[in-house]
Amino acid sequence: MNVLLMAYGTPYAPEEIEPYYTDIRRGKKPPEELLHELSGRYEAIGKSPLNEITLAQAIRLQALLNLEAPVYPKRLQGPFPPRTPQGPARVYVGTKHWHPTIGEAVAAMHEDGVRRAVALVAAPHYSLRSVAEYQEKVEAALKALPEPITFVWVESYEAHPGLIAAYARRLEEAIWRLRDPKRAAYVFTAHSIPLSAVERGDPYPRQVEKTAELIAKRLALPRYHVAYQSAGRTPEPWLGPDINELLRRLKEEGHEEAVVQAVGFPADHLEVFYDLDLEAQATAQEVGLRLLRARSLNADLDYIQVLKDLVEAAWQR
Ligand code: FEC
């Protein structure tokens, strides 16, 4: 069983921020003030742990997949050779904007003789500005190969019961820290995308709302909100409401406490540590709202079990 696990990627060192940002901007160097601003955000959080977390996810997913896969069956069961070979699983990592790139990962898979694999983006929701772009990068990498690799895609998993349970578990931990859970506001966030994608029929907002609805239902929350965070530094309009705007409104409506849970990203990174823990927290403090954040899924076993489940189901297709 072969897997290409993909995530956004982050620079490993400050001098890598410029080429990383240039890649995000499709080869266009960022103006000095934008580069300075982004470097300042990385400096403020110390370092983004995204690459380490992605690697830990891949290592644990590979271990879980292999744990139950008999390499040498003791006796033959069913047809031989088996229709779905249960050989040792290999999980390759490819990141959208840094190293190992998706192209590097696909080339390594080909070199290792992989001809069929499951392709999975860690972010749970499909967007024309996320998963579709990962798909384009895989397609481009395939063009450079002498033989094809067939990828079976997991395009989204916004309602997977294991995902909902894992998010709900962490939200519940935050609820235990509230002074008055009945009067608190509950906010689920995902990365914003340009509104132009939504106008082209992007299913992203619907999928984000689905995840929020299912978590809220599981915990019987009295009410909840969906907000978007980390809108890009571009002049076009981005999907809202913005988390900071919403926090101000919640205070005006009389809330004293709020819990935010980032459901659009499984891992901690710049957009969680800066945009939520520093920026949104500063907004909350400014207006006098107590803001808690539910911890992320990262490489915890309950989340890796979800990835395993998705991979195994896709491999059977
Ligand atoms: O920790 C880290 O260093 C990486 C954090 C990071 C994650 C992430 C996830 C998503 N993004 C999505 C959409 C866009 C669009 C643009 C865009 C731009 C940036 C910039 C940085 C950045 N993103 Fe990101 N994103 C992360 C970081 N993102 C840095 C550039 C500076 C800025 O604008 O803030 C606009 C690109 C363009 O100009 O064309 C659109 C979406 C996700 C969630 C799905 C995923 O993880 O792939 C959607 C993590």
Side-chain angles (χ1 to χ4, degrees):
M1 191 183 293
N2 309 297
V3 182
L4 173 59
L5 176 67
M6 287 166 283
Y8 206 82
T10 185
Y12 291 94
E15 62 275 16
E16 296 176 352
I17 297 174
E18 182 170 351
Y20 168 76
Y21 200 173
T22 304
D23 191 74
I24 292 177
R25 292 167 50 90
R26 296 183 171 75
K28 246 182 36 203
K29 267 191 170 199
E32 201 45 51
E33 84 257 23
L34 282 186
L35 179 62
H36 182 75
E37 197 255 347
L38 180 59
S39 301
R41 278 190 273 150
Y42 281 112
E43 208 178 308
I45 64 160
K47 180 185 174 297
S48 166
L50 181 58
N51 292 336
E52 286 76 4
I53 293 169
T54 306
L55 198 62
Q57 288 170 339
I59 290 169
R60 290 183 185 173
L61 174 59
Q62 181 168 296
L64 263 198
L65 289 168
N66 280 324
L67 202 63
E68 287 155 30
V71 182
Y72 300 111
K74 294 223 166 43
R75 75 168 77 180
L76 278 180
Q77 279 169 335
F80 188 84
R83 283 250 190 65
T84 50
Q86 292 278 293
R90 300 210 57 180
V91 179
Y92 295 79
V93 169
T95 74
K96 193 174 177 213
H97 294 300
W98 205 235
H99 299 283
T101 62
I102 289 172
E104 288 162 352
V106 172
M109 294 173 90
H110 182 265
E111 216 167 279
D112 290 353
V114 172
R115 296 296 175 265
R116 184 171 187 268
V118 174
L120 169 73
V121 176
H125 309 100
Y126 177 92
S127 168
L128 295 170
R129 296 309 305 270
S130 65
V131 176
E133 293 178 355
Y134 287 82
Q135 288 176 321
E136 281 164 26
K137 292 203 176 220
V138 170
E139 285 307 313
L142 285 174
K143 287 209 176 96
L145 300 180
E147 295 101 348
I149 300 175
T150 305
F151 283 103
V152 187
W153 279 86
V154 175
E155 289 201 334
S156 71
Y157 58 101
E158 72 281 4
H160 187 289
L163 179 79
I164 302 304
Y167 275 136
R169 206 167 288 133
R170 284 154 186 78
L171 181 53
E172 191 177 30
E173 288 172 11
I175 292 173
W176 292 335
R177 295 166 53 211
L178 287 170
R179 296 187 188 118
D180 188 352
K182 282 206 181 74
R183 298 185 53 211
Y186 299 95
V187 184
F188 299 102
T189 67
H191 198 294
S192 183
I193 54 168
L195 264 185
S196 56
V198 183
E199 281 152 12
R200 281 187 285 142
D202 200 323
Y204 183 75
R206 255 185 293 125
Q207 292 189 359
V208 171
E209 277 154 30
K210 187 77 201 167
T211 304
E213 179 198 319
L214 292 174
I215 301 169
K217 196 165 155 199
R218 195 175 168 102
L219 292 180
L221 298 182
R223 78 202 79 79
Y224 65 92
H225 305 265
V226 172
Y228 292 89
Q229 58 166 95
S230 320
R233 275 71 180 163
T234 65
E236 62 203 313
W238 287 67
L239 178 62
D242 175 76
I243 174 71
N244 296 284
E245 245 171 65
L246 178 69
L247 293 175
R248 288 176 196 283
R249 206 176 78 212
L250 291 173
K251 179 65 189 182
E252 280 165 18
E253 286 170 4
H255 292 284
E256 297 296 327
E257 293 182 302
V259 182
V260 62
Q261 180 164 47
V263 295
F265 324 103
D268 284 327
H269 45 62
L270 181 71
E271 320 293 72
V272 174
F273 287 161
Y274 189 88
D275 298 351
L276 293 181
D277 290 354
L278 296 182
E279 204 175 59
Q281 188 58 253
T283 304
Q285 281 178 14
E286 186 197 316
V287 297
L289 186 69
R290 180 171 181 247
L291 180 65
L292 304 180
R293 176 175 67 78
R295 70 185 173 88
S296 303
L297 305 175
N298 291 327
D300 291 358
L301 207 56
D302 57 350
Y303 172 58
I304 305 301
Q305 195 69 45
V306 173
L307 297 184
K308 172 179 182 269
D309 194 47
L310 294 167
V311 165
E312 286 180 339
W315 187 252
Q316 303 296 334
R317 275 193 235 144

